[in-house]
Structures are given as C-alpha cells and as structure tokens.
C-alpha cells in the first residue's frame, strides 16, 4: 500500500508494446535498472507501468530494439497538478481551503470543564469570556494557562485546585472544589464562647480555653460555654495567675426552631397579548447585525437564547446567532386560595430548611402551618434543630482584675 502511494506521488505511465522484440526490450531495461511494474498481456500486446523519471531513460533501449512503447495513460500527482494549473479557479480554491484550515488549527474551539459541581461549565465559560476574553475562536498562542489558573482561583475562592491544559484546538480545565469546612478561628483578642441560643448541649469540642458545661446540660442564651481564662498553677497545684486566651471550639446545641413570616395573598397574573422575535449576529464578539423589535406603551418580557447546529453543539464558534422573543402582557389582579397559599408556604419553608442544612445545621423534625386572614397569610414553621450555635464575647479587664485579686497576685 505504501509503495503504491509513493508511486502515485512520483507519477507513472501505463505503456503498451506491440512489436515482436519485447523480450529484448525488457532485458535491456533491467540491465539499465529501469523498473517495469505490473506486466500483463492482452490480445498479443503487453501492458505495464513505468515510473515517470524512468521513461526518459529508455531512449537508448528504443534505438537498439526498434521497439517504441506507446503511452496509453498518465497517472499520478504530477499529472493531476498539470491539469489543475489549467484551472486557476480550482487552484485558488484549494489554496484558500488550505489557508482556512491552517487558520482554524491555530485557534481554541472547544473548552472542557471537569470536576465542577457548584460551579458549572457555563459559569466557567462566561468567566473566561467576560474576565479573560477567551472564547471560541481565540488564538491559542495568546492563551496563557498559568494566568487562567491564577485568575480562576482569585475569582472563585471555593476552588482549591485548578489545572488548565491546551491540547490541539481544545482547552481542558480541571477543578477541585474544596469542601473542607473553615476552621472557627474566632476573634484575635482574648474572648469567651457563649451560647447563641437556649437549648441542650449535645456535644462539645474544646480547642482552646476551658469548658464550663458538659453534654446534657441545659443552657440559656448568653451562658458561658468555653471560658477564655486559663489558670496557670505551680508545682504544688497553687494558682499563680490566670492567662487570658481566645477561646476556640464547637458546641452543638439542640434547640427549638420558630420561623414566622407574613405575606399577601394578592398577586398579578400575566395575560399574553402578542409576541415578536428578533436576532443579533456576532463575529468574534463584534456585533455585525442586530434587529430587536420593541413594544410601546405595554409591558413585555424578553427571553434570549442561542441556536447552535447539532454538529457544533460542543464547540464554541466565533460566529454566534442570538435570538430574542418579546412577549407583551397585561396584568390582572388575582388572589391565592388557601390550598395554593399552603403549598407555596410549604415550599418556602422547605427552602429555608435546605439553607440551614447547607450551613451545617441538622434538622431533627419540622412542621409548618398556614393561617389565612383576609388578603394576607401567616406562615409558622416549628421544629427541632441542632447546630454550632455559639458567639464570642471579649474578656473585660475588670474580670481579669477580679481573678488576679482572688489568686493573690498584686503585681
């Protein structure tokens, strides 16, 4: 297969011999190292292939044998080029085709994002386009992977590790979103940890300071949980002085949850009155065509979306077509019925509980009730929650003085 491909690019001739001295012709060709390929006899004539460069070497052989080979066909790349040169339009088209293909290989066409859960691929692509001017069709030689990694870490502090790699016309971004909880450092000055809510202590972890409560104790809001005053004792267990530190630790308190909210049952329902469409065409972030209709005197919503051909769905081409849908509407006053208000309130309370879970608060059980009064409603949600409900209180100087007086240190 490779030899046939080489033969095609060098060019070859298909010749025929009809004289009676064909044997002597082949012997002399072999003696002069002229290669004869694929010899075949058809109707007392011999057909064979000969390289283009060897055809000019057979003149002495022809003179000796008086056997003139006849050229039947010309094959190979040199003859194709000769035909193409007579058609300048085709040659020009091939030149521009190769030039466009070369230009396309110099650009980034696809960006792959892996490892992102909180930050989606669309969010990262929007950041690349708006903050770093990197999009489909960007010259890949001006894309600096190290700069992209640094800027992504600065824009998204939640991303602990990011790797950016260029391969061919693709850009690969790998993320590792840090899910480790931040350590409670507390204030820099000496302080106590006090209860932020009333409840029952379920668990306590002390990193710095002295615990003043234990598991199962009932505490009230503002009670001291971890003291920031650490006594320093001598060899005979006598108190020398009290050292103020910044108390650090976690105290899980089980407490009651009470969530209340009031709202109106009245709302405005939208009634569509018409629809118009428009579009904009961008090339390399430059707008080259725009048609966006407008409504006058009425309210309307605008929805925009991009339509991408199926074969280019995963590629960001520099040519973008953005379509707009404008929907005119009028509003009509309506009122939620009790069942709808209850369903809406339950959904709202569920979102509130989900937000608590995202903050690391465990929800033991919960229930919600809705009371409708006229054109308003009152949402009441109750439950049992457990979390690290603590706050910090700075140690006052008066408290230290009292402690020093008690210890007998009057320096």
């Amino acid at each position: 297969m490779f030899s046939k491909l080489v033969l095609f690019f060098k060019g070859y001739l298909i010749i025929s011999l009809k004289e009676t001295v064909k044997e002597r012709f082949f012997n002399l060709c072999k003696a002069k190292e002229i290669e004869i390929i694929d010899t075949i006899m058809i109707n007392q004539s011999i057909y064979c292939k000969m390289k283009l460069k060897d055809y000019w070497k057979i003149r002495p052989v022809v003179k000796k044998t008086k056997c003139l080979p006849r050229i039947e066909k010309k094959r190979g790349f040199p003859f194709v080029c000769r035909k193409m040169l007579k058609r300048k339009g085709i040659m020009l088209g091939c030149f521009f085709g190769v030039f466009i293909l070369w230009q396309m290989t110099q650009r980034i066409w696809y960006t792959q994002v892996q490892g992102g859960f909180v930050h989606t691929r669309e969010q990262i692509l929007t950041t690349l386009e708006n903050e770093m001017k990197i999009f489909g069709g960007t010259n890949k030689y001006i894309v600096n992977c190290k700069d992209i990694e640094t800027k992504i870490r600065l824009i998204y502090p939640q991303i602990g590790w990011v790797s950016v790699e260029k391969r061919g016309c693709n850009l690969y971004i790998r993320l590792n979103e840090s899910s480790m909880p931040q350590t409670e450092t507390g204030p820099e000055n000496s302080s106590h940890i006090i209860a932020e809510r009333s409840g029952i202590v379920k668990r306590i972890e002390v990193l710095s300071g002295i615990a003043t409560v234990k598991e199962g104790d009932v505490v009230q809001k503002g009670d001291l949980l971890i003291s920031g005053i650490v006594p320093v004792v001598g060899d005979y267990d006598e108190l020398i002085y009290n050292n103020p530190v910044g108390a650090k630790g976690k105290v899980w308190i089980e407490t009651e949850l009470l969530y209340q909210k009031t709202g109106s049952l009245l709302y405005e329902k939208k009634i569509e009155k018409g629809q118009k469409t428009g579009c904009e065409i961008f090339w390399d972030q430059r707008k080259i065509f725009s048609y966006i209709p407008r409504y006058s005197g009425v309210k309307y919503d605008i929805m925009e979306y991009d339509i991408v051909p199926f074969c280019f769905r995963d590629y960001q081409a520099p040519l973008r077509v953005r379509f707009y849908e404008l929907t005119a509407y009028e509003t009509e006053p309506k009122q939620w019925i009790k069942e709808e208000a209850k369903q809406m309130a339950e959904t709202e309370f569920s979102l509130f509980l989900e937000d608590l879970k995202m903050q690391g608060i465990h929800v033991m059980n919960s229930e919600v009730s809705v009371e409708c009064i006229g054109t308003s409603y009152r949402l009441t949600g109750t439950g049992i929650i457990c979390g690290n409900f603590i706050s910090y209180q700075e140690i006052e100087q008066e408290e230290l003085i009292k402690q020093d007086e008690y210890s007998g240190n009057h320096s």
Side-chain angles (χ1 to χ4, degrees), residues 299-362:
K299 299 178 181 179
Y300 60 92
D301 292 330
I302 299 180
M303 183 176 67
E304 62 181 44
Y305 58 94
D306 297 338
I307 293 182
V308 182
F310 178 78
C311 57
F312 298 110
R313 189 173 300 275
D314 289 334
Y315 295 88
Q316 305 172 62
L319 179 65
R320 304 184 185 184
V321 182
R322 182 165 296 168
F323 290 89
Y324 294 88
E325 286 187 359
L326 285 75
T327 305
Y329 66 89
E330 292 181 355
T331 58
E332 180 181 351
K334 291 286 186 178
Q335 181 175 343
W336 299 105
I337 61 176
K338 185 175 181 180
E339 288 75 12
E340 294 174 336
K342 184 177 181 180
Q343 184 178 3
M344 180 177 61
E346 290 176 350
T347 303
E348 184 177 353
F349 187 61
S350 298
L351 294 176
F352 173 73
L353 295 180
E354 289 295 330
D355 185 60
L356 291 180
K357 292 179 182 178
M358 292 292 292
Q359 299 175 23
I361 299 174
H362 180 60

Side-chain angles (χ1 to χ4, degrees), residues 195-218:
E196 196 176 49
R197 287 172 172 263
S198 301
I200 303 174
V201 177
K202 288 296 184 180
R203 183 181 167 192
I204 183 169
E205 292 181 1
V206 180
L207 302 178
S208 176
I210 298 178
T212 58
V213 295
K214 60 181 182 298
E215 295 182 5
D217 288 353
V218 178

Side-chain angles (χ1 to χ4, degrees), residues 29-286:
C29 286
K30 184 176 181 181
K32 293 184 176 294
E33 296 182 354
I34 298 174
E35 188 176 1
I36 303 296
I37 307 169
D38 296 341
T39 303
I40 187 173
M41 178 176 287
I42 301 177
N43 297 328
Q44 302 301 320
S45 297
I46 294 180
Y47 294 86
C48 60
K49 296 178 183 179
M50 180 180 294
K51 294 180 180 179
L52 181 60
K53 67 176 184 177
D54 291 339
Y55 184 76
W56 306 108
K57 299 179 182 179
I58 65 172
R59 181 173 294 181
V61 178
V62 172
K63 286 183 179 181
K64 286 184 179 182
T65 60
K66 305 298 181 178
C67 178
L68 180 63
R70 180 181 177 183
I71 299 176
E72 299 291 340
K73 294 180 181 180
K74 301 176 181 179
R75 295 286 184 269
F77 185 72
F79 301 105
V80 173
C81 291
R82 186 175 299 177
K83 291 181 181 180
M84 296 286 286
L85 288 174
K86 297 179 181 178
R87 301 178 181 180
K88 295 181 175 57
I90 297 179
M91 289 296 297
L92 192 62
C94 292
F95 172 77
F96 279 110
V98 173
F99 177 76
I100 292 173
L101 182 62
W102 173 72
Q103 282 292 320
M104 293 180 68
T105 59
Q106 308 301 307
R107 299 180 179 274
I108 296 293
W109 294 110
Y110 177 65
T111 302
Q112 184 184 61
V113 181
Q114 297 178 342
F117 297 97
V118 177
H119 305 290
T120 61
R121 177 176 182 266
E122 289 73 18
Q123 187 178 5
I124 299 296
L125 294 181
T126 302
T127 302
L128 291 177
E129 182 174 346
N130 296 337
E131 303 294 335
M132 311 173 205
K133 306 302 179 184
I134 298 175
F135 48 89
T138 302
N139 192 331
K140 65 181 181 180
Y141 293 105
I142 66 173
V143 177
N144 192 315
C145 296
K146 295 294 183 183
D147 291 345
I148 296 175
E149 293 173 359
T150 303
K151 291 181 180 179
I152 288 179
R153 284 195 294 264
L154 290 176
I155 296 173
Y156 302 105
Q158 301 87 353
I159 296 178
W161 174 84
V162 59
S163 170
V164 181
E165 180 185 5
K166 285 189 298 183
R167 288 209 306 264
C169 296
N170 298 336
L171 187 67
Y172 297 91
I173 301 177
R174 299 176 179 86
L175 309 175
N176 185 5
E177 295 170 338
S178 177
S179 59
M180 296 179 62
Q182 298 182 353
T183 304
E184 294 287 345
T185 57
E188 296 181 357
N189 300 330
S190 54
S191 59
H192 298 301
I193 291 181
I194 61 174
E196 196 176 49
R197 287 172 172 263
S198 301
I200 303 174
V201 177
K202 288 296 184 180
R203 183 181 167 192
I204 183 169
E205 292 181 1
V206 180
L207 302 178
S208 176
I210 298 178
T212 58
V213 295
K214 60 181 182 298
E215 295 182 5
D217 288 353
V218 178
V219 296
Q220 301 297 324
K221 181 178 180 181
D223 286 354
L224 182 63
L225 302 178
I226 301 177
S227 175
I229 299 178
V230 179
V232 178
V233 297
D235 295 336
Y236 301 100
D237 295 334
E238 74 276 10
L239 179 63
I240 300 177
Y241 68 95
N242 289 282
N243 181 33
V245 299
K248 298 179 183 179
K250 295 183 179 181
V251 182
W252 282 265
I253 300 175
E254 183 180 297
T255 183
E256 294 182 355
L257 170 68
L258 178 61
Y259 177 81
Q260 291 182 336
K261 183 179 179 181
T262 59
S264 176
L265 294 173
L266 300 177
Y267 71 99
E268 291 185 345
K269 182 180 179 180
K270 293 182 179 180
I271 302 176
E272 294 186 4
K273 290 298 182 181
Q275 192 176 71
K276 294 181 180 180
T277 58
C279 73
E280 288 182 339
I281 301 177
F282 299 86
W283 177 266
D284 199 9
Q285 284 194 329
R286 293 188 296 270

